[in-house]
């Protein structure tokens, strides 16, 4: 057998027999092989059996920010451990519950705890719950996170409205949409049908952003507005890295959100992002202070009330928009 014939035979075996065969992916692809449309549908059906009500707004709580779920009434709590094939949050400050109920008069679903790539999950596995929540009925996604303040004028405890992001993992080839583009995910986007190349230039909804600014002004809460960037973690940044991020015009740094917003954009969700600045990022070599996760959680819990007030009012406004 010639080398050519041999290798053709091998590739057809790969194509016919691997779990990727149905979607025509190569076994070496860094791709979402596990959370297929069918598996997501199974999870959605499991949840709908417990909670028939459709959530309109989905909320993902960042480190130490899961207390928002305490404000939900007529609550149904589903531990991630009870949901087939759902990952678990392994990080302090992240509980592992999906919380359904009513927040300021609107039906919501809240992830009390998210997944991060540094926990060992692919970006696709970290973000697939966004698809679950969209398929359950959500049209709006609010993402919250703890972040380090890169912008020198930011103070610990500031809240930053996310205007835009830089997705470093994606720039390095680690985007949750890598692999087969299953067109059944998501809803039609007018100019581009369940796109292979989704636009993300307006991922953070401008109307939502301006509503949030008005809400903050009403409560006398100073709201920063800036660019968030995600790095892979779990290390906090070196001083040289922080200096690089500053040169790039980044205001806050974290380890989450961007993969969630990417899948949210793909399935046509309207999105709002809020980052709580839990620590200042250092850029001097003679400084002795380092970021510590315990401080991140402490500051998040300390400032959670303000963030919750903003989200509560915002959700009320989403309801008003609908009527
Ligand atoms: O889930 P978020 O982005 O709020 O968590 C941040 C990033 C790391 O997981 C952790 C570092 O302290 O907090």
């Amino acid at each position: 057998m010639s080398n050519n014939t041999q290798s053709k035979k091998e590739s057809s075996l790969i194509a016919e027999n691997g779990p990727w065969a149905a979607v025509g992916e190569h076994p070496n692809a860094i791709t979402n092989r596990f959370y297929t449309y069918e598996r997501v549908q199974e999870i959605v059906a499991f949840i709908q059996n417990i909670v028939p009500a459709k959530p309109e707004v989905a909320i993902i709580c960042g480190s130490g920010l899961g207390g928002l779920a305490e404000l939900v009434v007529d609550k149904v709590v589903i531990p991630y451990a009870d949901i087939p094939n759902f990952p678990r949050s392994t990080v302090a400050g992240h509980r592992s519950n999906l919380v359904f109920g009513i927040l300021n008069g609107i039906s919501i679903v809240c992830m009390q705890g998210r997944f991060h790539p540094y926990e060992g999950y692919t970006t696709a596995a970290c973000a697939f719950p966004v698809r679950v929540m969209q398929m359950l009925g959500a049209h709006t996604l609010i993402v919250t996170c703890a972040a380090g303040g890169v912008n020198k004028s930011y103070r610990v405890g500031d809240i930053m409205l996310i205007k835009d992001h830089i997705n470093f993992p994606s720039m390095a080839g680690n985007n949750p949409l890598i692999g087969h583009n299953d067109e059944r995910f998501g809803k039609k986007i007018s100019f581009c049908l369940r796109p292979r190349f989704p636009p993300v230039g307006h991922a953070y909804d401008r109307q939502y952003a301006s509503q949030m600014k008005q809400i903050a002004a009403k409560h006398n809460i100073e709201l920063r507005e800036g660019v968030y960037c995600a790095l892979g973690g779990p290390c906090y940044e070196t001083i040289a890295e922080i200096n690089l991020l500053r040169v790039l015009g980044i205001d806050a740094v974290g380890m989450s959100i961007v993969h969630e917003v990417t899948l949210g954009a793909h399935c046509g969700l309207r999105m709002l992002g809020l980052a709580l600045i839990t620590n200042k990022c250092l850029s001097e070599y003679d400084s002795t202070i380092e970021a510590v996760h315990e401080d991140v959680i402490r500051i998040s819990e300390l400032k959670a009330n303000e963030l919750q007030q903003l989200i509560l009012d915002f959700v009320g406004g989403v309801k008003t928009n609908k009527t």
Side-chain angles (χ1 to χ4, degrees), residues 60-65 91-94 113-116 118-119 144-148 228 231-236 253-257 260 274-276 278-279 291-297 300:
I60 304 181
C61 297
S63 286
L65 297 169
V91 185
H94 290 263
R114 62 154 54 88
F115 315 114
H116 307 85
Y118 65 76
E119 293 173 79
T144 68
C145 68
Y228 171 90
L231 304 183
C235 297
Y236 292 113
V253 59
M255 305 174 195
S256 65
I257 279 192
E260 298 157 354
L274 292 169
L276 178 63
T278 52
N279 54 289
V292 184
H293 187 60
E294 285 67 28
D295 288 346
V296 167
I297 295 176
S300 292

Side-chain angles (χ1 to χ4, degrees), residues 8-318:
K8 266 194 191 148
K9 197 171 168 202
E10 275 166 14
S11 16
S12 77
L13 272 179
I14 285 168
E16 281 160 23
N17 300 324
W20 49 87
V23 292
E25 285 167 2
H26 190 273
N28 287 342
I30 311 164
T31 179
N32 173 28
R33 271 190 221 127
F34 190 77
Y35 289 108
T36 58
Y37 186 79
E38 287 70 23
R39 203 161 259 139
V40 173
Q41 259 187 330
E42 271 166 33
I43 292 171
V44 168
F46 175 89
I47 293 169
Q48 280 171 333
N49 236 348
I50 302 171
V51 193
K54 273 188 173 188
E56 294 197 35
V57 175
I59 305 169
I60 304 181
C61 297
S63 286
L65 297 169
L68 180 76
E70 309 309 326
L71 306 179
V72 175
V73 295
D74 297 334
K75 201 160 39 179
V76 180
V77 179
I78 311 179
Y80 296 164
D82 291 355
I83 308 173
N85 294 313
F86 220 76
R88 313 276 188 278
S89 300
T90 64
V91 185
H94 290 263
R95 279 170 265 182
S96 278
N97 292 321
L98 208 50
V99 179
F100 290 84
I102 306 295
L103 189 68
N104 203 3
I106 194 160
S107 179
I108 64 117
V109 52
C110 171
M111 284 184 73
Q112 219 182 12
R114 62 154 54 88
F115 315 114
H116 307 85
Y118 65 76
E119 293 173 79
Y121 301 119
T122 61
T123 52
C126 288
F128 93 96
V130 169
R131 288 176 160 169
V132 170
M133 295 189 289
Q134 190 268 338
M135 281 164 75
L136 286 168
H139 51 73
T140 291
L141 173 65
I142 304 172
V143 286
T144 68
C145 68
V150 176
N151 184 319
K152 279 191 169 168
S153 75
Y154 283 14
R155 293 179 302 256
V156 170
D158 281 351
I159 297 173
M160 185 184 93
L161 177 65
I162 302 178
K163 179 170 71 179
D164 200 354
H165 71 221
I166 295 185
N167 186 344
F168 276 111
S170 168
M171 288 164 78
N174 193 358
N175 185 298
L177 290 168
I178 286 175
H180 173 64
N181 180 44
D182 193 326
E183 296 201 338
R184 293 171 295 174
F185 280 122
K187 65 171 191 186
K188 286 179 195 175
I189 300 174
S190 56
F191 55 97
C192 204
L193 187 64
R194 296 152 183 147
R196 168 74 287 190
F197 303 104
V200 286
H202 298 97
Y204 301 91
D205 189 283
R206 297 226 170 124
Q207 196 187 347
Y208 279 179
S210 85
Q211 282 166 6
M212 181 48 77
K213 286 181 203 170
Q214 285 170 21
I215 293 166
K218 186 180 88 186
H219 289 287
N220 265 330
I221 296 174
E222 188 191 359
L223 194 63
R224 307 288 195 155
E225 187 175 19
V227 174
Y228 171 90
C229 93
L231 304 183
C235 297
Y236 292 113
E237 300 68 38
T238 65
I239 290 169
E241 283 163 352
I242 292 301
N243 285 326
L244 170 71
L245 300 183
R246 278 207 183 111
V247 170
L248 296 177
I250 287 158
D251 298 293
V253 59
M255 305 174 195
S256 65
I257 279 192
V258 292
H259 38 271
E260 298 157 354
V261 169
T262 301
L263 287 200
H266 185 252
C267 66
L269 292 176
R270 294 184 71 186
M271 290 179 282
L272 175 86
L274 292 169
L276 178 63
I277 305 302
T278 52
N279 54 289
K280 278 173 89 80
C281 294
L282 301 174
S283 48
E284 284 88 35
Y285 282 99
D286 55 6
S287 169
T288 51
I289 305 164
E290 292 267 23
V292 184
H293 187 60
E294 285 67 28
D295 288 346
V296 167
I297 295 176
R298 188 174 54 79
I299 299 295
S300 292
E301 289 176 348
L302 214 63
K303 295 292 290 189
N305 281 350
E306 267 183 25
L307 202 77
Q308 286 168 10
Q309 185 62 64
L310 294 178
I311 293 175
L312 208 61
D313 272 30
F314 175 79
V315 168
V318 170

